[in-house]
């Protein structure tokens, strides 16, 4: 009996690594495919192009994953990215605030949107899908209002965040995103907060009876998602050197896709930030590779759709021993 | 010359690689542009290689910036770009130029101030959307009574072309001494344009003219007008093939052709010229043509 | 005579073997009892017979013909009716629709509502379920739900039904309800129906069944007619050892008052109630199904809408309980009635399930959870409670029902709670484990805990409690000290309000 | 006891009507608001404009509601609308098939997309969110391929479906959509199929134990959703007299919003087609009213977002007695 349980224990211990291993293999397959079919895919240029695109989607996906694990969903992230980038642009260019302050306020604007989502969704118990759908519309409207519906040029200052640090080859934004992935993964797996979020997503009633006040946690994940979307907006502005009220249209679907490819359940209670990050990488590699191949838009769409489905097929195959 | 691309531009056997970066490849205008470029390449296959890319969504700047970065990293020799935004693309293009890539701007002009800030000189080739819209507007409004009421359907509010065309339309209306009763965004979309037009028609029983910033919205407006059995003069922009039957039937009176299929070809030829000679040529405005039932008949 | 159902060398394994070479036969018209410890494999065997799980090897014969159901539907078509252990009710459908779900009466394309109501009322009467057939199942109590499940199992036309399987059909029922079911079963068996009856209530099994099989660790260790058997024989076969007798109660002196409930009411429990529980005391709450016992516990624990009145914990300082989280922080524990919906974190490890309530004591939300510590803690508790598992990393869904219940117990032992609210804590728990839980409760009491326990088994209350409170229609009908009560007195009190209300409601029994 | 249950029965019986009553009141408020603020809102012109826009969203929402009730989601409806309208356009204009045949094949194309969703989602048990997200991409790609990324003019023939029948004032498309609302509502509430879909959406395991083979039903609702999206594509083409590969972008979110405003639960097991239809009306009135007021795009967005949230707030208030 004891021997048996140790064996099972070992399998169980590896299963987390294992889970992410499968997604990692999928990623490698994709890279191998593009390396074979596109001429200059395996170059430092491609790598740095991919790395510079990652940060915004990565941080947004971290927030989305947390929300999904808690059993919710946040459809407003795309709009909040646009809103926050608009706020940064406005404060810096029109009101002339110093950039760090403008950036901070932009992130806070995202946090406010998240707070509204959180209050309506957790304390008033409105269906979070609809609340964040409302915020998707309202947030975009605000972004248009803030920018006067025009792209605002911010200039090279803000871009320093998105440009590779000399000698290191990666940008501060990427380092920040990577650090957040690690922090979020540890928070989810190694802190009381993470446990509670998982417990609430897995069975809210049972969580309540176990003495967990569910509202503050449900609200907190939405605020975190809002703040991270705000940060995503800042990163987007840094990447573009401009704030674009039309930025990040449909980003919510990419973020959800990345999270689910990475093993997060839409039913709540299960998820991995590292997996979600691998999901982001898959999406980025796919977009890059297809662009380098220069295939036509319809074919790009078809392939993207197929890869999304294949990724979860692989995931399904894994979890069915 | 380009260091990292490997195949240099001077004196070697491999033909140069030109990347055409457009807005949405899901839009007929850009599809035609791509088709024109591909036909041109097929006819000059020994002269250059072509990679065509567009973004998913006309307004997704980040994706277009990413595309430029990807083209830099895949080592192309020239980029011909129809920027989705006149400012936000400049930094990325400056990276391309720093990497030794020749950049040509088509369709939508990059902001000269920002170019100056980055100390760049990127030649522009393309039509003036504003002049084109003014031309279409003038034609649509000619001969109408001076108190006619006009509605304008613009595209995505922040889009450069949308702003240019809206301005052109507004100039035409002002010149005719008429009134714009409402200006709304149909977001370039047919269905939305039809829905908005329906609403406008009931709100303004006296409406006489709808100026739409692209043909898709003109199509939508025409179907809403038909459904409401009203007489409204409609004009569009772009000269897509689906508008022709409506021009013939008179449901739409005019549109503008910017010869999109040639636009990219001009850009590519310029790029090849620079690659060969190293001389940066001047900006060039490409022609725009008013398309009306008569001109359609003539062809 | 060919047996109705013959099971031959059936094997099934999940991670470990669960059924090993099981052979069993059920004669036509007989009631066959199936008993065994939690996790012995009873439900697994039943799931195979009723088409919910495929067997690894072995064969089944139904009336002599080979039988291998590929789905529940096929088993139904073969005449196998089932009342599942984890009830299979649809919350958003009505009682009537649930009862006849597998065979909704149709008229042309539409559901025939009249026949639906008519037939379900008939079945509801048969099990003595008195709610509206149009009521949504979500609004029923667990006992009522179990009766719906039974009515559903009985809904198969008598001509078509060959085998009726009942997996712990009385776990949420009071004894009058159970008795009624048993007479119904005997009646149907006399008409030729074969029945497999799984239960942890060994006395019931002995009185109702004609024959009984005992499963131990996935093997049949005994099959015999019930006539010559006693409960001790079954226990011996199940556990392979003698159980400690339910040790007599050394009337320990009770301590000061620990829990005070003052004029408490809520939307679910509208009549204000006051009661108190001393430390070192076990107070039982008896009552019929629907008497409001669960609602009372919920209200005490801080759940429920429009709650008024006071719940006070007196210790060093007096605290008023206003929410479950305050309750837990101040040493309260609650094991709710519906294990799956209100207790378990499905798909999560045993470790997570045991430690979750205790995490609050680690400090703030950002306090670290150390996997190593967590595993150690839960491993120790699982061993202490003798949970049959593969270790703390195992997924809780893969545990048998009784073992899941033990994990819930472990959860609150981990918080070192000293005020316990228990709603049917031994529901679906095998006799050995039940005694272990009883012992555990006594130990807690002796350590000074205040315990409030709701149970439908009067024997259980009688054996455990120092005081018993009887609820009837959400009011306190009586309160007895140890030595004052008898089964008759308790039942009388439980029926008291009900009799009054029955006279003007005019319901017939 | 018995009396109590009868009373409860009556309340239960009225609660459905009641539920929809609240949404109806919300709709009336909205109409009243626009009647007061826009000059010519309460006119037959507005009415017929709204009625002519409804059919496509209505039929798509019917399918979406069924899928939501079954516990799934169908993100691909917008793309399938575009695909079907593209197929109709291609077959009629390029291949010269007779219009009814082209229309039928267009609807079937939608059904095929739904079948793929259904097979992957129910028999292969992939998460339906991701499967239909993949189809959202792939379907749009196919629509571009079929039309060569061009709007195809179809002509007045097809518009007869969308034009008011003289003397009646409403179009055949609207009548069809209305009939489908009634049929679907009856199917959901009065047939075994409907009850089984509710049962599966409410508790899939329990449904299985009750002897319901869940796969065929889960597959069927997705096929129905696909067919209805196909029909929606046809109606869209009829409305426009053209088939537009960019049609119905983001339609899935409108359909979900309409369903949820109408009382459908995103958790499955609960929903009303009539309610969803009222949700569609709210959306249509809102769009029309805002367009008549001629407010700017940002303000439109803001108001749309607020109305979505208010509608569910009202709904929440109702369900909390
Ligand atoms: N899906 C599953 N995966 C893995 N193991 C399982 C699964 N279902 C049951 N088991 C294991 O099989 C064993 C037998 O379980 P089963 O539910 O048949 O027990 P039981 O006799 O019905 O117990 P109880 O009296 O508690 O209901 C248990 O040890 C359980 O852990
Ligand atoms: N959410 C609810 N909505 C409406 N009625 C409810 C609800 N919950 C319970 N009831 C009703 O309240 C009555 C009392 O239920 P309660 O759970 O208190 O019974 P109980 O004494 O705990 O019985 P049991 O032995 O079943 O646990 C039942 O008749 C039930 O139908
Ligand atoms: Mg069992
Ligand atoms: Mg109870």
């Amino acid at each position: 009996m004891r021997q048996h349980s140790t064996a099972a224990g070992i399998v169980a211990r590896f299963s987390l690594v294992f889970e992410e291993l499968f997604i990692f293999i999928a990623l490698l397959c994709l890279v191998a495919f593009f390396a074979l079919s596109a001429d200059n895919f395996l170059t430092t240029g491609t790598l740095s192009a991919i790395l510079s695109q990652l940060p915004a989607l990565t941080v947004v996906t971290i927030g989305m994953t947390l929300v999904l694990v808690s059993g919710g969903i946040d459809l407003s992230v795309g709009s909040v990215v646009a809103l926050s980038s608009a706020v940064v642009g406005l404060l810096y260019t029109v009101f002339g605030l110093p950039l760090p302050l403008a950036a901070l306020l932009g992130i806070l604007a995202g946090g406010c949107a998240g707070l509204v989502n959180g209050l309506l969704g957790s304390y008033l118990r409105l269906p979070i899908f609809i609340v964040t759908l409302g915020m998707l519309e309202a947030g975009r409207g605000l972004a248009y209002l803030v920018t006067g519906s025009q792209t605002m040029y911010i200039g090279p200052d803000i871009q320093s965040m998105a440009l590779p640090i000399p000698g290191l080859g990666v940008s501060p934004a990427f380092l920040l995103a990577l650090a957040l992935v690690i922090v979020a993964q540890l928070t989810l797996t190694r802190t009381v907060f993470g446990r509670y979020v998982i417990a609430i997503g897995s069975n809210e009633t049972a969580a309540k009876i176990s003495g967990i006040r569910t509202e503050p946690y449900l609200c907190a994940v939405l605020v975190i998602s809002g703040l991270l979307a705000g940060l995503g907006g800042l990163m987007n502005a840094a990447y573009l050197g401009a704030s674009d009220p039309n930025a990040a249209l449909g980003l919510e679907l990419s973020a959800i896709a990345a999270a689910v490819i990475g093993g997060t359940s839409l039913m709540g209670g299960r998820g991995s930030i590292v997996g979600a990050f691998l999901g982001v990488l898959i999406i980025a590699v796919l977009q890059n590779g297809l662009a380098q191949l220069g295939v036509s838009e319809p074919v790009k769409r078809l392939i993207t759709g197929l890869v999304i489905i294949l990724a979860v097929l692989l995931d399904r195959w894994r979890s069915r021993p | 010359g380009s260091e990292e691309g490997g195949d240099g531009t001077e004196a070697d056997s491999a033909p140069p690689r030109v990347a055409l970066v457009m807005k949405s490849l899901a839009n007929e205008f850009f599809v035609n542009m791509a088709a024109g470029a591909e036909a041109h390449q097929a006819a000059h296959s020994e002269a250059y290689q072509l990679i065509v890319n567009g973004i998913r969504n006309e307004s997704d700047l980040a994706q277009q910036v990413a595309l430029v970065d990807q083209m830099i990293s895949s080592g192309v020799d020239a980029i011909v770009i129809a920027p989705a935004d006149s400012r936000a693309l400049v930094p990325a293009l400056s990276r391309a130029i720093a990497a030794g890539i020749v950049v040509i701007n088509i369709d939508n002009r990059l902001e000269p101030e920002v170019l100056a800030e980055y100390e760049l000189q990127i030649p522009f080739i393309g039509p003036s959307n504003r002049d084109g819209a003014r031309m279409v507007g003038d034609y649509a409004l000619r001969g109408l009574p001076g108190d006619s009421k006009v509605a304008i359907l613009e595209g995505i509010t922040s889009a450069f072309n949308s702003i240019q065309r809206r301005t052109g339309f507004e100039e035409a209306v002002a010149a005719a001494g008429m009134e714009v009763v409402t200006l709304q965004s149909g977001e370039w979309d047919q269905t939305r344009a039809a829905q908005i037009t329906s609403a406008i028609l009931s709100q303004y029983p006296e409406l006489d003219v709808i100026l739409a910033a692209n043909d898709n919205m003109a199509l939508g407006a025409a179907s809403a007008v038909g459904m409401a059995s009203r007489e409204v003069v409609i004009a569009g922009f772009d000269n897509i093939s689906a508008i022709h039957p409506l021009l013939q039937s008179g449901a739409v009176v005019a549109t503008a052709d910017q010869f999109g299929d040639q636009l990219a070809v001009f850009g590519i030829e310029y790029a090849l010229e620079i690659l060969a000679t190293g001389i940066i040529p001047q900006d060039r405005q490409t022609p725009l043509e008013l398309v009306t039932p008569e001109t359609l008949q003539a062809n | 005579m060919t047996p109705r159902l013959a099971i031959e060398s059936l094997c099934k394994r999940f991670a470990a073997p669960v059924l090993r070479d099981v052979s069993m036969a059920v004669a036509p018209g007989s009631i066959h009892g199936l008993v065994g410890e939690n996790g012995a494999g009873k439900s697994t065997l039943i799931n195979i017979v009723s088409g919910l799980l495929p067997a690894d090897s072995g064969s089944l014969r139904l009336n002599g013909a080979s039988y291998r159901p590929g789905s529940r539907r096929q088993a139904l078509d073969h005449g196998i009716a089932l009342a599942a252990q984890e009830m299979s009710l649809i919350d958003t459908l009505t009682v009537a629709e649930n009862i006849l779900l597998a065979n909704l009466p149709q008229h042309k394309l539409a559901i025939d509502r009249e026949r639906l109501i008519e037939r379900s009322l008939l079945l509801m009467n048969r099990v003595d379920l008195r709610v509206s057939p149009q009521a949504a199942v979500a609004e029923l109590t667990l006992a009522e739900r179990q009766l719906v499940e039974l009515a559903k199992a009985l809904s198969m036309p008598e001509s078509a039904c060959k085998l009726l399987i009942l997996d712990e059909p009385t776990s949420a029922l009071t004894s009058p309800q159970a008795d009624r079911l048993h007479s119904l079963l005997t009646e149907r068996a006399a008409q030729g129906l074969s029945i497999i009856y799984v239960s942890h209530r060994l006395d019931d099994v002995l009185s109702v069944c004609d024959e009984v099989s005992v499963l131990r660790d996935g093997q049949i260790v005994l099959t015999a007619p019930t006539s010559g058997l006693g409960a001790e024989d079954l226990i011996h076969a199940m556990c392979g050892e003698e159980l400690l007798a339910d040790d007599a109660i050394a009337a320990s002196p009770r301590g000061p008052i620990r829990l005070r409930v003052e004029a408490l009411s809520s939307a679910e429990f509208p009549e204000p109630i006051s009661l108190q529980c001393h430390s070192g005391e076990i107070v039982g709450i008896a009552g019929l199904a629907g008497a409001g016992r669960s609602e009372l516990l919920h209200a005490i624990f801080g759940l429920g809408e429009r709650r008024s009145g006071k719940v006070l914990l007196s210790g060093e300082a007096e605290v008023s309980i206003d929410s479950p989280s305050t309750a837990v922080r101040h040493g309260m524990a609650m094991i709710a009635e519906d294990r799956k919906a209100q207790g378990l974190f499905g798909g999560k490890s045993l470790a997570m399930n045991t430690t979750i309530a205790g995490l609050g004591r680690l400090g703030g939300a950002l306090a670290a959870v150390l996997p190593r510590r967590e595993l150690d803690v839960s491993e120790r508790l699982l061993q202490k409670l003798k949970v049959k598992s593969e270790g703390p990393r195992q997924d809780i869904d893969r545990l048998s029902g009784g073992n899941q219940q033990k994990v819930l117990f472990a959860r609150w032992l981990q918080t070192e709670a000293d005020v316990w609210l228990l709603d049917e804590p031994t529901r679906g728990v095998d006799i050995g484990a039940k005694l272990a839980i009883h012992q555990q409760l006594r130990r807690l009491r002796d350590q000074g805990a205040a315990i409030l326990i709701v149970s439908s088994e009067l024997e259980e209350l009688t054996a455990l409690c120092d005081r018993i409170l009887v609820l009837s229609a959400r009011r306190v009908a009586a309160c007895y000290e140890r030595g004052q009560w008898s089964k008759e007195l308790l039942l009388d009190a439980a029926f008291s309000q009900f009799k009054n209300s029955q006279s003007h409601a005019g319901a017939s029994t």
Side-chain angles (χ1 to χ4, degrees), chain C residues 14-15 18 36-45 85 167-168 200 388 394 397-403 428:
Chain C
F14 291 111
V18 172
E37 288 189 306
N38 292 132
K42 304 179 296 294
S43 297
T44 307
L45 179 61
Q85 182 180 10
D167 196 352
E168 302 196 27
H200 290 297
K388 200 173 160 196
Q394 197 186 0
D397 289 335
R398 309 253 154 110
L399 246 47
S400 75
N403 283 304

Side-chain angles (χ1 to χ4, degrees), chain A residues 18 62 89 97 119 258 293:
Chain A
F18 215 53
I62 293 173
L97 293 195
L119 293 177
L293 286 183

Side-chain angles (χ1 to χ4, degrees), chain B:
Chain B
S2 67
E3 293 90 358
E4 59 171 1
D7 35 13
T9 51
E10 306 96 20
D12 65 22
S13 50
R17 299 169 70 216
V18 178
L20 177 57
V21 176
M22 292 180 298
K23 294 192 232 168
S24 173
L25 268 182
N27 177 316
E28 180 169 352
F29 178 73
F30 293 104
V31 171
N32 286 340
M33 191 187 277
E38 272 156 4
H40 183 264
Q41 194 271 339
H44 304 83
S45 55
E46 72 299 329
Y48 69 103
Q49 286 176 286
L50 182 68
I51 306 172
V52 179
N53 270 298
I55 50 183
R56 274 178 68 95
N57 188 308
E58 275 190 47
S59 55
D60 193 347
L61 301 188
Q63 210 200 346
Q64 205 179 33
V65 172
L67 268 180
V68 171
D69 283 339
Q70 283 148 20
M71 291 306 111
I72 298 172
S73 68
S74 71
V76 298
D77 300 289
I79 292 176
V80 177
I81 184 167
D85 186 271
S86 45
R87 297 183 194 117
L89 262 299
V90 175
L93 293 175
S94 80
R95 290 197 283 278
I97 290 173
I101 295 171
V102 170
V103 176
I104 306 285
N105 172 204
I106 58 172
D107 180 46
N108 171 8
R109 185 192 278 265
L110 294 166
E111 196 70 56
E113 284 168 32
V114 185
L115 285 177
E117 188 173 337
Y118 278 83
E119 295 171 356
L120 297 179
Q121 212 188 338
I122 298 177
F124 171 74
I125 295 162
S128 162
N129 278 288
R130 186 168 161 179
D131 293 350
R134 174 76 199 262
M135 185 165 72
V136 171
D138 285 343
Y139 179 84
L141 300 179
R142 104 220 98 94
L144 291 178
D147 59 350
S148 299
K149 292 190 162 57
V150 185
I152 296 179
L153 290 177
E154 60 175 347
I156 288 176
T157 325
S158 59
F160 176 81
N161 280 345
S162 172
I163 297 169
Q164 292 288 303
R165 292 177 194 178
R166 187 188 77 202
T167 316
F169 285 150
E170 280 168 347
E171 285 169 359
V173 176
M178 299 174 187
E179 182 198 359
V180 177
V181 291
T182 183
L183 163 73
Q184 297 199 39
S185 167
E187 304 196 316
W188 302 128
D189 182 70
Q190 213 175 339
T191 313
R192 271 192 77 103
Q195 288 171 349
I196 290 171
T197 303
S198 293
I200 294 176
L201 288 176
S202 23
Q203 182 69 8
Y204 304 101
E206 263 81 66
L207 191 77
D208 303 291
V209 184
I210 295 175
L211 300 176
N214 76 352
D215 281 349
N216 264 322
M217 294 194 291
L219 272 169
S223 80
V225 167
M227 221 162 271
S229 316
R230 293 269 291 271
E231 290 289 328
V232 177
V233 172
I234 300 173
F237 205 103
D238 277 349
N239 191 27
I240 68 174
S241 52
I243 205 80
H244 293 170
L246 293 184
L247 279 171
Q248 272 150 359
S249 73
V252 174
V253 297
T255 183
D257 194 343
Q258 342 176 31
F259 304 102
D261 53 342
Q262 288 311 302
L263 210 50
V265 172
F266 286 143
I268 291 167
E269 281 173 346
Y270 261 44
L272 294 175
E273 198 178 317
I274 302 174
L275 284 172
T277 65
I279 304 165
I280 296 188
Q282 288 303 301
D283 293 357
R284 190 207 272 181
Q285 220 174 61
T286 56
L288 255 165
E289 199 176 274
L290 184 69
V291 182
T292 63
E294 295 80 51
T295 60
L296 209 59
Q297 225 107 59
N299 289 342

Side-chain angles (χ1 to χ4, degrees), chain C residues 6-41:
Chain C
I7 300 170
E8 282 151 21
S9 342
L10 206 63
C11 292
K12 175 77 190 174
R13 60 179 302 145
F14 291 111
V18 172
L19 294 179
R20 292 182 280 182
D21 206 18
V22 170
S23 299
M24 194 175 109
V26 183
S30 88
I31 306 183
H32 196 109
L34 185 61
V35 298
E37 288 189 306
N38 292 132

Side-chain angles (χ1 to χ4, degrees), chain C residues 190-435:
Chain C
Q191 292 161 5
L193 179 67
S194 299
I195 298 170
I196 297 182
Y197 184 94
V198 178
S199 178
H200 290 297
R201 298 188 183 174
L202 300 181
D203 294 330
D204 285 358
V205 172
L206 288 172
S207 68
V208 177
C209 301
D210 305 310
E211 231 188 347
V212 60
S213 295
V214 179
L215 260 181
R216 180 163 84 211
D217 280 342
Q219 283 173 306
I220 300 267
V221 291
L222 172 77
T223 299
T226 48
S227 44
L229 291 175
E232 308 71 42
D233 304 312
L234 292 184
I235 293 171
H236 184 81
M238 280 162 60
C239 323
E241 65 194 51
E242 299 301 328
L243 278 183
L244 340 160
D246 209 354
D247 39 351
I249 305 94
S252 61
R254 64 186 190 192
I257 294 181
R258 179 76 175 103
L259 169 73
R260 274 217 320 272
V261 175
E262 289 171 4
L264 178 69
S265 70
S266 75
E268 292 79 22
F269 195 90
E271 300 292 329
I273 192 172
S274 300
L275 59 86
Q276 40 197 259
C277 186
H278 296 252
S279 78
E281 183 184 36
I282 302 183
V283 175
I285 299 179
L288 301 175
R293 297 164 300 171
S294 306
E295 275 74 3
L296 175 59
L297 291 196
H298 278 134
I300 294 177
F301 197 60
L303 290 162
E305 292 188 358
R306 281 180 275 129
R307 197 165 160 274
S308 72
K310 272 200 181 122
V311 177
L312 299 166
L313 285 187
S314 33
E316 287 120 56
E318 205 165 62
V319 246
S320 167
I321 303 301
D322 54 3
S323 71
S325 85
T326 338
V328 172
R329 236 176 314 134
H330 293 96
M332 269 176 122
M334 159 118 153
I335 295 189
E337 191 175 25
D338 190 336
R339 188 159 56 222
K340 199 161 182 184
Q342 304 175 306
L344 303 181
F345 296 99
K348 298 280 132 201
S349 69
L350 298 184
M352 143 110 184
N353 269 286
T354 28
T355 54
I356 187 76
L359 292 180
R361 293 183 309 164
L362 289 182
L366 290 181
V369 174
L370 306 175
R372 198 58 260 165
R373 283 276 315 271
E374 185 182 23
L375 291 175
D376 287 347
V377 166
S378 55
E379 173 100 59
R380 214 175 51 236
L381 283 167
L382 296 178
Q383 271 170 19
K384 184 169 174 187
L385 293 175
K386 301 205 179 67
V387 176
K388 200 173 160 196
S389 74
E390 291 163 6
R393 285 199 183 80
Q394 197 186 0
D395 185 339
I396 191 143
D397 289 335
R398 309 253 154 110
L399 246 47
S400 75
N403 283 304
Q404 290 175 343
Q405 188 74 13
K406 293 188 200 168
V407 172
L408 291 186
F409 238 88
R411 180 183 298 170
W412 294 114
L413 285 181
Q414 209 255 325
T415 65
E416 291 167 11
D418 65 350
V419 177
W420 290 65
L421 310 180
L422 306 167
D423 200 350
E424 311 282 4
T426 57
R427 185 169 80 86
V429 168
D430 72 46
I431 178 99
K434 188 168 171 178
L435 294 182

Side-chain angles (χ1 to χ4, degrees), chain A residues 14 45 90 148 236 247 260 268:
Chain A
F14 273 91
L90 183 79
N236 193 279
V260 175

